[in-house]
Amino acid sequence: YPDYWGGWQDGQFTKIVYAIVEDPTVRDQMIRSGDADMTSDLPFDSLESLKSIEGLKVEPFLPLAQLIVGLDNTNPPLDNPDVRRALAMTFPYEAVHQGLYLGYGQVSVGSGPTALWTPPADLPRYKLDLDKAAALLKSAGHGDGFELRLAMYTGSREVSEAVRLWQSELRKVNISLSIRELASGAFWDAAYNPENTEYDVFVVAASGDVPSPYAWLIVYTDSGYSWLPAISYKNPKFDELVFKAWALEATDKSAANDVWVEAQRILHDDAVSIFAMDAPGIFAYKDNLTGFKPNPPYSDIVFWYPMKRVQ
């Protein structure tokens, strides 16, 4: 737009061509071969070899993003909180953090990236404990196991492998996990359906639309604002806390944080979902591009206006 209020300087980009490439391996090949000038969400096991390529910059960073294992709270047996608590004790948090993300990012404390709120030291969290999980499943009447149907969308090797690591742990407590990797549109068609009966679990690496716990906690409100309504969690007390904290945040951040913590305790106690990782990201780009900065709230968006190509 020639009349943009910020003005234009020589060398700024006037045209950007986006290629929608869901396969991370293909994205990796494109940046190595020079078929792309920039890409993101690359496999972490490619990180060191990418750093060795002349003419390429590789930038791991921690966006405001979280790997969430969303549980449909109305599909039996997930309508039983004890079953959900047991599932939260079957997820291999550290294996995903260290083995797949190579220690980048961090294991989540609650819903949403930890950078957005201040969890107290005594805030409980779930850890991998198959013995406790098996005992809880047995007391809930599901010691012989059951089947779960999981939906995820294609595009991240780490998310795909994390799901399969979890699948392996679930087998040890007699739970069979069937996995379907869907194109993004098909995934969100199901995830946006509050009447969903096709899937029990939705796995998503999610970023928020505002840098606040609100962007993640709103998911669990029965308010019409959820961006994952298939979870179908209904708790009026929780809803009240979320909107109270959101109203306080602009004028009293400390008081708002106290309310966020109270809401997080409810999510933990009810094991509404599994909060796996504050998920890291990677950008790789040619070193003749200048002015690029990752923007944590918008983990896959490149702000091109301040960028130029150095000849």
Side-chain angles (χ1 to χ4, degrees), residues 42-53:
L42 292 164
F44 272 78
D45 59 10
S46 295
L47 191 59
E48 291 308 313
S49 66
L50 284 168
K51 287 180 179 178
S52 69
I53 297 174

Side-chain angles (χ1 to χ4, degrees), residues 74-85:
T74 58
N75 282 2
L78 301 188
D79 56 345
N80 184 331
D82 277 341
V83 171
R84 299 196 300 269
R85 292 175 189 125

Side-chain angles (χ1 to χ4, degrees), residues 7-165:
W8 295 99
Q9 298 176 16
D10 290 341
Q12 285 184 273
F13 293 109
T14 58
K15 181 180 181 181
I16 309 297
V17 179
Y18 284 90
I20 309 302
V21 181
E22 290 189 333
D23 188 334
T25 303
V26 176
R27 294 198 297 271
D28 182 276
Q29 293 168 350
M30 290 176 70
I31 197 67
R32 290 174 187 270
S33 66
D35 290 336
D37 293 295
M38 171 176 276
T39 190
S40 63
D41 291 335
L42 292 164
F44 272 78
D45 59 10
S46 295
L47 191 59
E48 291 308 313
S49 66
L50 284 168
K51 287 180 179 178
S52 69
I53 297 174
E54 187 176 352
L56 200 61
K57 286 189 176 181
V58 183
E59 193 159 347
F61 73 110
L62 188 58
L64 296 180
Q66 184 176 44
L67 176 58
I68 300 169
V69 180
L71 309 175
D72 187 331
N73 284 232
T74 58
N75 282 2
L78 301 188
D79 56 345
N80 184 331
D82 277 341
V83 171
R84 299 196 300 269
R85 292 175 189 125
L87 291 179
M89 296 178 198
T90 65
F91 193 84
Y93 301 93
E94 285 298 332
V96 170
H97 178 212
Q98 297 295 339
L100 300 182
Y101 289 103
L102 308 183
Y104 291 93
Q106 63 185 49
V107 176
S108 294
V109 177
S111 176
T114 313
L116 295 179
W117 59 296
T118 307
D122 69 344
L123 192 83
R125 65 186 75 181
Y126 292 102
K127 297 180 180 179
L128 177 63
D129 191 329
L130 295 180
D131 290 338
K132 284 185 179 180
L136 202 52
L137 289 169
K138 184 176 180 180
S139 68
H142 293 285
D144 293 332
F146 50 86
E147 180 180 352
L148 290 174
R149 302 155 299 170
L150 179 147
M152 58 175 289
Y153 57 78
T154 58
S156 169
R157 183 185 297 174
E158 285 74 30
V159 174
S160 180
E161 291 181 1
V163 165
R164 282 160 177 80
L165 285 177

